[in-house]
Amino acid sequence: FGTFIQMRRLNLSFNKLSKLPNEFTHMKNMELLDLSNNVLTCLPEGFGNLWRMVEFYGQNNKLTALPKTLQLLKYLKVLDLCNNRLKILDHFLCTLVSLHTLRLYKNEPLKGMPS
């Protein structure tokens, strides 16, 4: 993925991905990322390095938690994490000031939802 550092839009949906390589987080110009319909259980801790991200689609995976670095995505407007295995949401979601669409249905009963 390091050779694609200038990439702005990437759709890797329906690829049966179970893990993302750490090099993935070097694509700092990424604005739209679709990882939906895979079998991911986690996102790399360096996910916040993709700080220009505007839209992230991670629905229909097996995610159980989110990296705290997600709070660095200050331009994120759309966050779709439906149909995963999330149980707890940290309050750092409140720091995503540009976020206007948050989809979380079909997860485990969520605890820690911001009020």
Side-chain angles (χ1 to χ4, degrees), residues 86-103:
L86 297 171
K87 294 180 183 177
I88 298 174
L89 286 181
D90 292 312
H91 286 87
F92 70 78
L93 284 176
C94 294
T95 66
L96 300 174
V97 294
S98 297
L99 192 66
H100 64 71
T101 303
L102 175 62
R103 297 185 186 110

Side-chain angles (χ1 to χ4, degrees), residues 42-104:
C42 65
L43 297 172
E45 191 57 40
F47 200 75
N49 292 340
L50 306 174
W51 62 273
R52 291 186 182 177
M53 181 123 32
V54 176
E55 298 178 49
F56 175 63
Y57 300 94
Q59 69 270 26
N60 301 314
N61 277 287
K62 297 181 179 187
L63 297 173
T64 58
L66 300 173
K68 296 225 182 276
T69 59
L70 196 72
Q71 67 186 326
L72 300 174
L73 304 180
K74 61 183 175 181
Y75 299 112
L76 191 66
K77 292 182 180 181
V78 177
L79 179 58
D80 191 338
L81 297 168
C82 299
N83 200 23
N84 277 285
R85 296 180 178 170
L86 297 171
K87 294 180 183 177
I88 298 174
L89 286 181
D90 292 312
H91 286 87
F92 70 78
L93 284 176
C94 294
T95 66
L96 300 174
V97 294
S98 297
L99 192 66
H100 64 71
T101 303
L102 175 62
R103 297 185 186 110
L104 295 169

Side-chain angles (χ1 to χ4, degrees), residues 9 12 20 36 44-47 53 63 71 81 109-111 113-114:
R9 301 170 71 85
L12 291 172
L20 295 174
S36 63
E45 191 57 40
F47 200 75
M53 181 123 32
L63 297 173
Q71 67 186 326
L81 297 168
L110 290 168
K111 295 179 183 172
M113 282 293 293

Side-chain angles (χ1 to χ4, degrees), residues 7-18:
M7 189 169 298
R8 294 181 186 274
R9 301 170 71 85
L10 180 62
N11 185 333
L12 291 172
S13 61
F14 294 97
N15 278 292
K16 299 181 184 174
L17 296 174
S18 60

